[in-house]
Amino acid sequence: MRYTLFLLASAALALAVPQGNSKRASSFVWFGASESCAEFGNQNIPGVLGTDYTWPDTSAIQTLRNAGMNIFRVPFLMERLVPNTLTSTPNEIYLQGLKSTVEFITSTGAYAIVDPHNYGRYYGNIITSTSDFAAFWTTVATEFASNDKVIFDTNNEFNTEDQTVVLNLNQAAINAIRAAGATSQYIFVEGNSWSGAWTWTSVNSNLVNLTDPQNKIVYEMHQYLDSDGSGTSDTCVSTTIGQERVQSATEWLQSNGKLGFLGEFAGGANSVCQSAVTGMLSYMQENSDVWLGASWWAAGPWWSTYIFSMEPPSGTAYTYYLNLLSAYFPSNSGSSGGSTTTSTTTTRSTSSSTTTATTTTKSTTKSTTSTGSTATATVSHWAQCGGVGWTGATACASPYTCQVQNAYYSQCL
């Protein structure tokens, strides 16, 4: 889907790569949410702002910032930013929307993850050209090279692709970002099989071979807790499934001297998922020598009745989970509550090592699902009206029509 890391100020406390099982007293460095909606309407390219897609609500971001979140992932579409070819010049209007969102986030002292939300594809075709991918990243990195609170996410959820291609594309992105003069920022690299933590060691072990002259690579993994790990259900497998699904990835990070960030996760508003989510985060916090934080999926102004919506003031997850999650916010001593916290200032670096490349395996795709009303009702503007697993209303209130966004999500637009 649609989940953040950074070089912080020069006055930061510099930490070497942790070895063994040592723990950092300050716990997570970052905790936040994905700010979605600019990647909506991928069936309509370039699409119309306010009809097919929209940018995040800065007042909602500020509310989450005030609660203590200090990192926000900003998904966008590559096709809207650089139309026609990956080597094209950017669309200035869409670029300005992205820059305005990022600049607002970083002006608050938080970090912004720039996330091309494309699943390793461009106009639906798997990206294989490292030179084209590098050209795209040169364009993006040049725009943000002077902002050290920006983090570059190489691409959202590569899947069903040749594993060597995924390795090479990630390396091409790293090389291009650094060559563009963006040398102070962290780079989040994602893996194959939807970047799942639970399949990481069997699919993405060759990514250990990635190199960065600045030693600021962080491995971004995603993890959902429903039966197929797709994030399409608010039912979690068990109260312990969260820890179980990130354990092998944790051991991989530790044994290879790498750092990780859980870029997407969520759980339903029920006691089983609550235990699974907090159990996973507590385990990660206990292993914060390698886990630098996490980002909830998702916030955004058009999520409406989405089962995992973190959008203030009434999103399902916002009302159910915010106080629970606040115990894991940076600088929080562990008590619940929504008080403002200051961002942690820390510099981390990563080491490199080698391992044997593995072959990719296919995982169930992850997308969006929400809980609807009865099928005889009508759905309001921007609400969900269809998709795989959808059991709610499918008719939109006039004058809106139900438009397919992807196989799992249709929306009244």
Side-chain angles (χ1 to χ4, degrees), residues 81-98:
L81 188 67
V82 287
N84 304 318
T85 71
L86 286 170
T87 60
S88 299
T89 57
N91 177 290
E92 287 299 328
I93 295 175
Y94 193 74
L95 174 61
Q96 187 54 50
L98 176 62

Side-chain angles (χ1 to χ4, degrees), residues 56-201:
D57 181 351
T58 55
S59 64
I61 294 173
Q62 187 65 61
T63 297
L64 296 175
R65 180 77 180 104
N66 292 344
M69 291 186 178
N70 71 341
I71 192 166
F72 299 93
R73 186 165 175 252
V74 184
F76 66 94
L77 285 184
M78 299 170 74
E79 297 88 349
R80 287 193 179 122
L81 188 67
V82 287
N84 304 318
T85 71
L86 286 170
T87 60
S88 299
T89 57
N91 177 290
E92 287 299 328
I93 295 175
Y94 193 74
L95 174 61
Q96 187 54 50
L98 176 62
K99 290 176 69 174
S100 295
T101 301
V102 169
E103 287 165 4
F104 175 82
I105 291 169
T106 60
S107 72
T108 71
Y111 293 85
I113 301 171
V114 177
D115 164 37
H117 213 77
N118 276 69
Y119 306 90
R121 288 155 171 81
Y122 184 69
Y123 286 103
N125 299 312
I126 291 175
I127 301 167
T128 57
S129 170
T130 54
S131 61
D132 287 357
F133 198 58
F136 166 81
W137 271 112
T138 297
T139 297
V140 176
T142 299
E143 296 291 339
F144 297 104
S146 62
N147 190 338
D148 63 7
K149 292 188 182 297
V150 167
I151 295 170
F152 300 110
D153 180 345
T154 56
N155 217 261
N156 179 68
E157 295 187 349
F158 295 97
N159 63 87
T160 61
E161 293 158 64
D162 179 86
Q163 187 62 25
T164 301
V165 169
V166 174
L167 171 67
N168 292 341
L169 289 176
N170 272 299
Q171 189 62 63
I174 294 167
N175 296 346
I177 290 166
R178 298 310 184 207
T183 57
S184 65
Q185 296 91 344
Y186 280 92
I187 298 174
F188 286 6
V189 298
E190 295 202 35
N192 217 338
S193 192
W194 290 270
S195 215
W198 64 334
T199 58
W200 191 269
T201 58

